Amino acid sequence: MAHITINQYLQQIYEAIDNREGSFCAELLSFKHPHVANPRLQLSSPEEKCQQVLEPPYDEMVAAHLRCTFAVANHDFVEAYKLQTLVVQSFLKAFQSHKEENWALPVMFVVALDLRIFANNAEQQLLKKGKGKVGDMLEKAAELLMSCFRVCASDNRASIDDSKKWGMLFLINQLFKIYFKINKLHLCKPLIRAIDSSNLKDEYTMAQRVTYKYYVGRKAMFDSDYNPAEEYLSFSFQHCHRSSQKNKRMILIYLLPVKMLLGHMPTHQLLRKYDLMQFSDVTKAVSEGNLLLLNEALAKHETFFIRCGIFLILEKLKIITYRNLFKKVYHLLKTHQLPLDAFLVALKMMRVEEVDIDEVQCMLANLICLGHIKGYISHQHQKLVVSKQNPFPSISSVS
Amino acid sequence: MSTRRAPRRIFTSQKRGQPVGRGWRLNQEQQREVQEEKEGERRHDAVPRGTCMSMCPTREIHDREAQSRLHHFEMLAGTERDRRPRADPSRMVKEYSRPAAGKDSTRPSDLRPPAVLQKTVSFLIDDIAASGDLQPWTEVYDFIFDRLRSVRQDMIIQRVSGRDCVAVLEPTVRFLLYSSYRLCGEPLRRYDPRINDTHLQESLSWLMDCYARGQHPNQEEFQALSLLYNLGSARAMQHSLELPAHVRSSPAVSLALAINRAFLERNPVRLLRLAGRLDFLQSCALHRHLGACRRDLLLLYSHGHSSRNCRFPLPRLARLLGLDDPLASQLCLAHGVEVSQDAVVVFSKASFVEPEPGELRCPPFHGLVEQKQRERSVRSIIHGRA
């Protein structure tokens, strides 16, 4: 592969297309394949050669691909991205002309993946030079991927085995990755709807489904839909292949805060196994109602939590922590008419800054409103009057 | 599809020789940059550079005067009632015009360079916005809104960036924020808050992009304003958390973050208390959210204090809401919260209702913001402390 001539290469592509060998053709167009390091193929003007061997639009597609290998060899990712765009556009022309056949899906997968990767690299390159805005190229790449998606989604005539619909989930996952990167999560919605209404949704490969549920789970988290988020992320975690430790860890980073908000704390073993000890102090603090420890734990690992985008969700654990703290006060005083002052003292002991009795009333009112406390506040008597039966229902029963 | 775990590194072509020492590397980069600029210029058209040294291109002055399309702020004093009013060149400002096919918006004589753009902005603030004589203020707003839009258009065409850009965007944001408060409650045909919001968000977004590179002395002020204007936005908060430490820990940003946290924790009592510490412009930024915060407080208290014997003193509630007693009472009424004869609030979770749309007008509740303005002039508000 690293030594073949341009003619041999073109001949191989020609045969792959002629014999409808999707996987082999895909390899010949993928940047993960060693042929891209072959200097004989890194040409800046291969159009004529390609036209001699291949029919349009394959000639344009392969010519752009070869020019792309040249650009990549010169570290010019901006150029590589532009050329990869041509590759995808030409591919799409060919793909659309394949009536009732889907042999080219593997090709679509590789060119789509390379498009996203080059868009990423190109942006990084521009940013280093102080030019370009984050998201410009990725957004354009997303538009192109959406065109591919539409071709797949609208394939209504072919039988299931030959349907292009099998390409949908892969493309959706690529689009999710882009939308998350450029922070435009609202664009995920129509894609999620498309899959939900598809009869193939449980038939795609497990790998694709795990990735899909990971992103949908993260989106649900962002929308504060914690119950569906837990469902998706749990599925993703359980079905993620045992050997992908890194992926399992990534899923866990998002699953843990959601589970904690729903009242389920992770075990020490789990945290240790996946090297997520950053969560251990947080877990301990929340269970004990220890606001001081929680604030310290959040501050200590702030950078990590912010980078992962879970800092704000972990801050929501404060509400659960207040609940646990106040429950301790209840157990200590052993009465159903609790002076508001007791809660104020508890908060001050936890070094909560600048809190006064009005704020305490508000916190308690919030917990009552959420269902975490059964009772009411009597302003005249400055007391919290709680129900004699189960005044602090378990968190999981409330959420 | 192949599941081979191929490494992401996709080529092994020769690496460029690593430079030694920083000075040498800078030189290399500069050289490469110059080369690329040349190549860039070969490949694309050169970026237009304006040569119009006045606030309005001469051609436009003649055209608009001839076609009687002068704004009366731009007319020569004494000629306003003439059949064809004359233009006052010292008050003519280039207007916004939609880009269209066949229209060349890149003519250098029509474009104003950054220094002139800044002069234009100063004129708009000092002579138009701050002038007590020009009425009504909705017209002042319309004029400045349009002319600022044209300024931004010139910036986009000339690809202005960095400090020049910031010098225009900062007063723009201040103006739009101030306007969002001052014109709140005006009928839709005279002022549309959604249009103001769109342009405000665009300008803020552009400003944030500028701040990402280089040093900008007012950055803290605007990061805080953005956080307050976008209260509760996870995106705005995440952006703030990723700011450099010295910006994040500045008093303005810290306070804005604390207010956002109070919102996320659903503690309107704390939020309204912290809001009391905001200055006038910051209060303007936050003001559109105050209605929702007060409503939340009434909702939470309706649930939390719900009991037959509830007697919550109205003055205390009013203080928490940042309102005087009569206004607090009015707010309770609109939310179905019962207030007895002896100024006692009887909270009940069953009686809380959302007010009818349009029932509660915002301006009567502006007191909290209004009192912050005190002696500050419009001019100083929009120019900033300077």
Side-chain angles (χ1 to χ4, degrees), chain A residues 352-388:
Chain A
V352 178
E353 289 170 4
E354 293 182 29
V355 62
D356 61 18
I357 206 79
D358 288 313
E359 279 187 42
V360 171
Q361 279 197 29
C362 196
M363 289 179 199
L364 289 168
N366 191 16
L367 288 169
I368 294 171
C369 202
L370 290 168
H372 287 303
I373 300 183
K374 299 224 286 256
Y376 66 91
I377 303 166
S378 163
H379 182 81
Q380 305 102 278
H381 303 293
Q382 289 286 292
K383 287 202 160 83
L384 170 73
V385 180
V386 297
S387 159
K388 294 209 169 73

Side-chain angles (χ1 to χ4, degrees), chain A residues 11-30:
Chain A
Q11 189 58 27
Q12 286 185 359
I13 291 213
Y14 173 77
E15 278 167 17
I17 294 174
D18 207 39
N19 297 330
R20 292 170 164 67
E21 289 174 344
S23 298
F24 184 45
C25 192
E27 285 186 5
L28 293 171
L29 292 166
S30 166

Side-chain angles (χ1 to χ4, degrees), chain A residues 27 31 36 72-73 109 117 129-133 183 222 302 306 309 311-312 315 318-319 322 353-354 356-359 361-363 365-366 368-369 376-377 379-380, chain B residues 1 4 6 8 10-11 13 36-37 209 213 234-235 237-238 241-242 248 261 265-270 273 277 300-301 303-307 309 311-313 316 320:
Chain A
E27 285 186 5
F31 273 83
V36 299
V72 168
F109 293 160
I117 293 179
K129 294 185 200 159
K131 292 187 195 158
K133 242 170 67 164
N183 223 328
F222 191 79
E302 202 182 67
I306 291 177
F311 186 79
L312 295 172
E315 285 218 313
K318 279 197 183 147
I319 299 186
Y322 292 140
E353 289 170 4
E354 293 182 29
D356 61 18
I357 206 79
D358 288 313
E359 279 187 42
Q361 279 197 29
C362 196
M363 289 179 199
N366 191 16
I368 294 171
C369 202
Y376 66 91
I377 303 166
H379 182 81
Q380 305 102 278
Chain B
M1 177 160 174
R4 249 180 311 136
R8 262 289 146 84
I10 48 194
F11 49 83
S13 54
E36 275 163 28
E37 273 295 287
D209 283 342
R213 268 172 245 136
R235 205 173 148 185
M237 274 205 88
Q238 180 71 17
L241 292 173
E242 292 168 0
R248 227 182 103 185
R261 283 202 175 97
E265 269 178 46
R266 217 160 170 217
N267 193 331
V269 166
R270 188 176 176 87
R273 161 160 317 135
R277 296 196 205 149
L300 288 181
Y301 274 42
H303 277 75
H305 288 76
S306 183
S307 79
N309 308 324
R311 291 181 62 79
F312 197 101
R316 188 156 188 154
L320 295 178

Side-chain angles (χ1 to χ4, degrees), chain B residues 173-189:
Chain B
V173 168
R174 288 199 197 101
F175 169 74
L176 293 173
L177 276 175
Y178 171 67
S179 303
S180 76
Y181 164 70
R182 176 151 179 183
L183 297 176
C184 169
E186 290 280 343
L188 207 60
R189 59 187 155 77

